[in-house]
Amino acid sequence: MIAVIDYGRGNLGSVEKAFRRIGMPAVITQDPRSLDEADAVVLPGDGAFHDAMANLDRLGLVPAVRRALDGSRPFLGICLGYQLLFSTSEEFGEGRGLDVVPGAVRRLPAGRKIPHMGWNRVEHAGELRLFDGIPSGAHFYFVHSFYPVVAGASRPALTEGGLRQTRVAPDARSVAPDARSGAPGVAPDVRSDASATQGLPLRAAWCEYGVRFAAAIEVGRIHATQFHPEKSQRWGLRMLENFAAIVKSGR
């Protein structure tokens, strides 16, 4: 069974309905015990970063969420639930996230309509299991005003192509860099507290919207997307089917 965390943010019904459509049992819950007993955990979300962290804390869910992120089970973060995995966010002032993935959440640059809302292409190099059977350049549905700057994303050829380093993740090969070194776009003293991710490669898929950003990541059994797979029709359902297959396989 998949547990979908209910902390007062996100299209919980849409996520549960999408899993039901592909034949994967899912339950919406605020019960820490249900999170501990689930085969996999999904953290969805819409809204403000700090409010979401406050709600998780108020409901006593933070310890259970951290246990779900210890690498022993598949985990899927969606939209705000993706951003909460990072160390910090500058939304309404600097604040701490779950600090599982080193990096910082920044506001999308001026020059394009904000929020970034609607369909956009996501490019990948065939390395993320969520994208099995999904072509690079497939369109997914986005709604967000902030994006994560990922410390340590692997950089296949498709992420380079003359793109300036300051517009993508710092050039590192694992998710355990010393962020105090002043890597571009990463808040000072940003270090992950989750031993489950230490030393594991962090792979990313990419989207362009005024800046090239990591639209999805995979590090160990942790998967996350900035877009909404439950709203992304054909390819979104295929992605949820891929996550369900990961859950069933125990990988």
Side-chain angles (χ1 to χ4, degrees):
M1 182 205 59
I2 293 176
V4 180
I5 302 173
D6 176 8
Y7 61 107
R9 292 291 184 273
N11 296 302
L12 303 174
S14 297
V15 174
E16 187 273 337
K17 181 178 179 180
F19 276 116
R20 182 157 30 95
R21 182 174 175 183
I22 65 171
M24 187 69 188
V27 60
I28 298 170
T29 183
Q30 292 184 343
D31 182 4
R33 291 173 298 179
S34 295
L35 299 186
D36 288 337
E37 294 169 359
D39 298 311
V41 172
V42 177
L43 181 63
D46 291 320
F49 187 99
H50 301 325
D51 287 347
M53 286 299 301
N55 280 5
L56 286 171
D57 185 56
R58 177 178 58 82
L59 292 167
L61 291 172
V62 171
V65 173
R66 292 196 180 281
R67 289 192 293 272
L69 288 161
D70 66 6
S72 63
R73 294 171 289 166
F75 183 98
L76 176 62
I78 297 173
C79 196
L80 180 59
Y82 169 34
Q83 296 180 1
L84 293 175
L85 300 180
F86 289 85
S87 306
T88 65
S89 172
E90 68 179 16
E91 185 176 4
F92 301 118
E94 202 78 18
R96 301 294 292 184
L98 292 167
D99 199 20
V100 175
V101 179
V105 177
R106 303 300 189 206
R107 185 169 178 81
L108 286 167
R112 301 290 295 272
K113 184 178 179 180
I114 296 176
H116 172 207
M117 181 181 295
W119 297 89
N120 206 341
R121 292 165 53 91
V122 175
E123 299 176 348
H124 66 92
E127 298 179 330
L128 286 76
R129 287 175 288 170
L130 283 185
F131 286 85
D132 285 352
I134 299 174
S136 181
H139 285 74
F140 292 88
Y141 189 82
F142 291 82
V143 183
H144 64 115
S145 300
F146 292 78
Y147 73 100
V149 177
V150 185
S154 62
R155 298 182 63 193
L158 66 86
T159 70
E160 296 174 357
L163 203 64
R164 291 178 301 167
Q165 181 177 336
T166 54
R167 299 180 66 204
V168 295
D171 193 5
R173 297 300 176 183
S174 76
V175 296
D178 185 352
R180 292 171 294 179
S181 64
V186 178
D189 200 26
V190 171
R191 288 169 290 175
S192 173
D193 292 333
S195 60
T197 64
Q198 296 298 320
L200 294 175
L202 190 155
R203 299 180 174 88
W206 302 89
C207 183
E208 181 83 28
Y209 192 77
V211 63
R212 193 170 179 87
F213 65 91
I217 62 168
E218 176 184 326
V219 53
R221 290 181 171 177
I222 297 172
H223 311 264
T225 68
Q226 182 60 72
F227 52 84
H228 288 270
E230 78 280 6
K231 297 180 180 180
S232 295
Q233 299 180 10
R234 175 189 178 188
W235 296 125
L237 286 177
R238 175 57 187 263
M239 180 165 287
L240 294 180
E241 288 175 344
N242 289 340
F243 183 71
I246 292 169
V247 175
K248 292 174 181 177
S249 72
R251 294 186 292 134

